[in-house]
Structures are given as structure tokens and as C-alpha cells.
Amino acid sequence: MRRAQLSFGDGLITEEVSDLREDWMTHADQVLADEQIVAAVYEALAKRHPKSRSRGRPGAPAEVVLRLLILKHIRNWSYGVLEREVRANLVYRDFTRVGAAKTPDAKTMGRWGVAVGPDVVKQIHERLVKLARDKGVTEGHRMRVDTTVVETNIHYPTDSSLLGDGVRVLIRTMKKITTIAGEVGAALSDRSRTVRLRVLEIARAARSKAKQSREKLTRAYGKLLSSTSRVVGQAKRFSKEIAERVKRASSARKQLMLEGLRQELDAMVPLIKQVMKQTRARIFRGDTRSEGKILSLFEPSTEVIRKGKAGKPNEFGKMVKLQEAENQIVIDYEVYAQRPHDSELLIAAIETHQTMLGRAPRLVAADAAFYSAKNEAAAKAKGVKRVCIPNRSTKSIERRCEQKKRWFRNGQKWRTGCEGRISVAKRRHGLNRCRYKGEAGMKRWVGLGVVADNIVNIGRAMEKRTAP
């Protein structure tokens, strides 16, 4: 869990950097030393392999792994930059407990990040909130909640680019299979150049609104779908021949590689067929709302989310809920598999607040999307005295007078701080775009970003309280 013995160099580093730390670091250091937080990381690392606890060379202490991951998301660095900065900076060496030892390389830290999954990150976050409550940083008298979009790391999705991506991946995989198995069975016909030219032709035709260009666009899409269909057929034949041992390797190790490549083909083919289906529906039938629409072959869970922003009408990613209490402490976060309506989230958020902080909030503030008469009544039934959520469509004079009262306006002023907090989380901790892969990667990215933000805010609040 921790380094058993410090070296002489560690003591020198600690003494040298004692007055160079940032104002939040000293208190954050004490919070991260909590036994339950370190134990959660230790248990996650111990489950990487069945014999991780008893076999192999000693791994990095859980304390070091935790602090390196937290520092990465506090600064919004990549693993490569994290390695370089920790190697070069004595303050970071002291904070992460690396000390005078060798800094772990970026690939190793990436594997640690995968091992510390979303469930463990959620445990760390919940423990941090309880520590903030016990230390008096947050009391839970007020609550504000809002939603935002964290984008997945994809290019702007068009049907032609998705088909081009699919063909590129299938041909690349089939070339690897041919290299291992040799020229047996079905021969590979490389249509990547043809597909690439069709994609460029579609891009040029799409710029013009003339009728001739529309006809040219439809013909180009027809050719692209035909070429893609042929490549998909080839991929199916390759997969079948590997399963029937027509294509086979000369050694057991290479045969395992062939099986892995076959699984890649089997996973990619249904996605490409879905893209072909939605392309035909849009181009030839004018149906833009195809069921099960795919926006990325590499992040198939990505959704189109419209939040009404003029500068960015369409966002491609996942809906995330962030709810806060006093001192900007994020009490709860949630990454939704499918976008819910904001009004469905309010009562569950109040219940989570009660569970985490042991009391119902005195004031609940949110924007108009969270309003409904049912929500307001349910919140008051749970002990909330002041529900500060505007109803912009009301025609009631009584309701309008209520929304002009001082407590309501002050509550809404405090609520607007949530917008700024989300902006800070996106700019400072990288919650604008997720760099990890898959749904589990999205949850890890958001969770670690929230944990990093809470660490900084807890440290600053405690420093402010102890300052003369």
C-alpha cells in the first residue's frame, strides 16, 4: 500500500520543497493519505491477475499509483507529459511519493489507470465527500445541479467518413491475416484507393447545393456502398476460413494472433453493416432518424446531444450530471448511457445528497430544465424548504411574484456559479473531451476529473480556514 522505507534522498527532497508547494497541496496530501482511499486502489491493483498478491516482482505502492493518477487529471496531462514532469520536478516527486526512486514510465501508468476502474474511482469520490463533510468543508445546506456533455474523442461523423474508416480497418486487418497465414484461401482485393477516391468525390459534391451536384452525390454514395459491401463480404470469407482452419498459422502463438484478428473482423462487420443501413436510409429514402444510429466505429456508444448552444448545436458524447454543495465540492456525478430529460434527475439528486451528507438541503437550485410542479412538490416533501427552480412558461401572477423575491434571485445567482464550475472542470481537468476509450473509459475520465477538482477545492478551503 505504501513505501515501506524512505531513502536519504527522499528526506532531502521533502526538506527542499517544503515552501514551494501550492496552497492546496499540504491539505490535499493529508486527504490522500486516508487509509480507505489507498486500500481501494490497492485492492484494484491486486485483482489484475489471479496471483498478483503472491507472485511476480513487487509492484509500485498503491499510494504512488493513486497520487500519479490524481496529478495527471489535476493538470490535464497525458501519461507521457506526466512522466516527464514528475521526473523533472521535485515538488511533484514529493507530492506523488515517488521521491528519489525511478519514475514509472508512461505505458506502465496507463495500465494502472485501466486497472483502477470506474467502480474504484466512484469509491474514492464517495470517501472524499465524506472526508470533506467530516472536516467541515461542506455541510450540505445548499445544493445545485446541472448537466453537461463530455465529448468522445472522435472526428465529426459523416456517413462517407464512417464507411471509409470501416473499409480501412477491415483491409488493414485482412492484410495482417494474409501476412500470417500466407496466400491460401480467398485472396485479398485491396479496394482502399477506390473507397478513398469516392469519399473525396462525396466531400466535393456535398459543398454545392445545385441539383446536378445532388445527383452526383447520390451516384457517388451508391458506388461507395457497393465497394464497402464487397470489402465486408471479403471480411466474412476471411473470418469463415480462419474458423474452418483453411487459413492457419505455422505456430501456436501465431494461431492465437489469427484468432484475435478474426474476432476483430467479427466485431467490426456488424458496425459497418449498420452504417451502410443508415446511409441507404438517409441518401435514398431521406430518413435521418435511423434506429440504432452509429456515430463512430471506435466509440459506438456516442450520442448526438443538442443543448441549444448557438456555437455548438450538436455535441457528440455522453450526458453527465454534476451536483455540488458549499465550497464547490462535487457531491455526485453520473455518466448516463442514454440521455435523460433534466427534470427526471432532480429527486434522485436530492436523495443522493441526503445519503452522502446525512441531511436534506435547505436550498435546491437548478435551471428551468429541471422544473416541474411534481418535482417541486416532491422536493418539499423531502424536507427542502426553498426550491429555487424557475418556471419560464408560467402565466400565474403568483408564481411570477414568487420568482422575483430576494431569496429566489439570490438562489439563482448562486446557481449560475454551476456554469462557471463546469467550465473550470472542462478547461482545468479536461472534461471537455474524454481521451479514454469505451464506456468504462468515459466513466473513469469523468470520475478522475471530478476527484481531482474536489482535491483542489478541499485543499483550498482548508488552507483558507487555517490562514491567519
Side-chain angles (χ1 to χ4, degrees), residues 37-78:
I37 292 176
V38 179
V41 178
Y42 173 79
E43 291 298 328
L45 295 174
K47 292 176 183 175
R48 284 185 293 173
H49 301 288
K51 301 286 185 180
S52 285
R53 296 176 189 270
S54 56
R55 291 187 181 176
R57 61 185 179 183
E63 180 182 49
V64 175
V65 174
L66 169 68
R67 288 165 180 264
L68 284 168
L69 291 176
I70 295 292
L71 180 63
K72 174 187 182 297
H73 283 266
I74 285 175
R75 298 297 191 222
N76 191 21
W77 289 334
S78 66

Side-chain angles (χ1 to χ4, degrees), residues 2-8 10 61 97 101:
R2 291 181 171 85
R3 293 178 64 188
Q5 186 175 1
L6 298 180
S7 68
F8 180 68
D10 295 331
R97 298 293 190 267

